[in-house]
Amino acid sequence: MNAPRAAAGGRFNRLVMRLLKIGTVSGLLLVLLAEMSSHMVGEKPPYTSWVSWVQCATSLYAIGVYTWYRPGRKTWIAVAAVVSLAATGIDAVFDQGPRGVGTAELMALGLLLLFAVRHWDAAPGRWVAFALGAAILVIGVRLFVYDGSAVAGTVLIGMGISTVVGFGAYLRSMDKLRRETQEEVRRAERLELAREMHDFVAHHVTGMVVLAQAGQVAATDPLKSFADIEEAGLAALASMRRMVRMLRDDDAAGGVNPLGDLSQIEDLVDRFTREGTDASCFISPELAGAVAPEIAATAHRVVREALTNVRKHARGATRVRVVVAAAGGQGVEVSVRDDGRAARGRLGREALAASGGGLGLVGLRERVETVGGQLRAQPRPEGGWETAAWLPRAVPEVPVGTAGS
């Protein structure tokens, strides 16, 4: 599957979901129209009563809330529940005849109950789900007015409510599990950074010591030696500020892996080759010593994650090509390409790309963006998969006062 086909698949899925919603709303409107005009022999149609028009307006509001509902707008659902209860009360006080209007409203409120349970903790509170359940139950007062229909109708409504609540609770648990897993990824990245921070600092401090020792034995200008030491010290402080900021920021992504560098990328590829896949690696010689340690560590992480994904998701991959090359004067392009197929067709890596990536790519994307880079993971037009990142050669400076020390 090539990139245009993957994009077309994403558009097709969105189109299907939109058509499904349009079909649902159209069906509810047709049901509302039918129940406003249908009646038994010898009865007046509901549209002849003002009470039915109040209930019709309530149904239209419930359908509208379902149509335009977005997460975070649960207040609209609360209003729909209160309005429905009021409409049922009006029906009980001003008896319009044998049967009221409420079938379409009942189905719309059932769909809203799914949202209310899924977004259980959203404002204005959990009571919205209980109010909505009560509105659905008592709506039977309008509908089940014929002999023998009350008990059976109430049982069916109760079963429907149980099904909707169960499915909504399942979706809520899936949402919670995904959030917890993503947070665990971020926490693991921060813990890894905290454990290895002393190695990164030691790298900079060792450079300062070497400069100081060289200044003592070499016949160089002392001012030049001090300037070099100052530059190395400022770089160390900047790295420390960035790492401390990422550790202290609850919403920040994990930092970088200071133990990885460009030279270790070749070791990754060699180990991958020994595991049975033909992999080759090219690292541009001009990048030696020209890339900040944090950028080199991030490049190492990109290659490591990409090779892991090849092993997990690429079926029949026979060749893997890893390239770390200069991109312009101030950038680095890291790419990992393979010729494999998705492990489970459209449910494999193409689906990950359409949905924003798997959990491994979540942490990887955050690392890349933290140092000012960009990440993409997508099918290749000629077949296979590509994971690529553009990185700056130097990490953007952090103002001295932003992180504290």
Side-chain angles (χ1 to χ4, degrees), residues 265-282 303 306-308 310-311 317-323 335-339:
I265 290 178
E266 295 182 352
D267 296 335
L268 283 176
V269 176
D270 289 341
R271 288 198 299 269
F272 192 81
T273 301
R274 289 195 295 269
E275 293 174 1
T277 303
D278 180 18
S280 60
C281 176
F282 170 78
V303 174
L307 292 179
T308 299
V310 171
R311 183 66 67 204
T318 59
R319 295 188 305 275
V320 178
R321 178 68 168 165
V322 178
V323 177
S335 63
V336 180
R337 302 181 177 92
D338 66 74
D339 61 350

Side-chain angles (χ1 to χ4, degrees), residues 164-243:
V164 171
V165 169
F167 187 55
Y170 168 77
L171 293 177
R172 181 173 179 270
S173 65
M174 292 296 98
D175 293 340
K176 182 179 179 181
L177 177 62
R178 181 170 181 82
R179 288 194 302 270
E180 291 177 348
T181 306
Q182 290 177 338
E183 180 58 31
E184 185 62 29
V185 170
R186 296 187 179 97
R187 187 180 300 112
E189 298 287 354
R190 290 195 291 267
L191 290 176
E192 181 183 3
L193 177 62
R195 288 193 300 266
E196 300 172 349
M197 184 185 292
H198 68 282
D199 294 321
F200 214 156
V201 175
H203 168 81
H204 290 288
V205 174
T206 300
M208 295 168 60
V209 172
V210 170
L211 289 173
Q213 292 174 340
Q216 296 179 39
V217 300
T220 59
D221 185 1
L223 294 178
K224 177 64 168 57
S225 298
F226 285 131
D228 293 339
I229 294 173
E230 178 187 20
E231 182 179 355
L234 290 175
L237 287 175
S239 295
M240 280 290 296
R241 285 194 295 270
R242 282 189 292 267
M243 288 185 287

Side-chain angles (χ1 to χ4, degrees), residues 352-371:
L352 288 179
S355 62
L359 293 175
L361 289 178
V362 171
L364 181 61
R365 188 179 303 277
E366 290 174 342
R367 280 185 176 231
V368 170
E369 292 177 353
T370 296
V371 297

Side-chain angles (χ1 to χ4, degrees), residues 14 39 46 59-61 83 127 172 192 199 220 235 327 363 365-366 394:
R14 290 191 294 271
H39 59 93
S59 301
L60 288 174
Y61 178 77
V83 171
W127 64 269
R172 181 173 179 270
E192 181 183 3
D199 294 321
T220 59
R365 188 179 303 277
E366 290 174 342

Side-chain angles (χ1 to χ4, degrees), residues 33-48 98-100 146:
L33 178 63
E35 64 177 343
M36 279 291 290
S37 58
S38 63
H39 59 93
M40 300 291 289
V41 177
E43 296 178 356
K44 293 183 178 180
Y47 65 78
T48 60
R99 180 181 58 84
Y146 300 107

Side-chain angles (χ1 to χ4, degrees), residues 256-316:
V256 294
N257 181 358
L259 296 184
D261 56 32
L262 297 184
S263 63
Q264 294 182 14
I265 290 178
E266 295 182 352
D267 296 335
L268 283 176
V269 176
D270 289 341
R271 288 198 299 269
F272 192 81
T273 301
R274 289 195 295 269
E275 293 174 1
T277 303
D278 180 18
S280 60
C281 176
F282 170 78
I283 300 177
S284 178
E286 66 181 280
L287 296 179
V291 177
E294 291 160 295
I295 300 301
T298 303
H300 178 274
R301 176 60 185 271
V302 170
V303 174
R304 186 178 68 182
E305 183 67 31
L307 292 179
T308 299
N309 286 339
V310 171
R311 183 66 67 204
K312 291 170 59 177
H313 301 296
R315 183 178 58 184

Side-chain angles (χ1 to χ4, degrees), residues 9 143 149 299 393:
L143 304 177
S149 63
R393 297 194 186 187

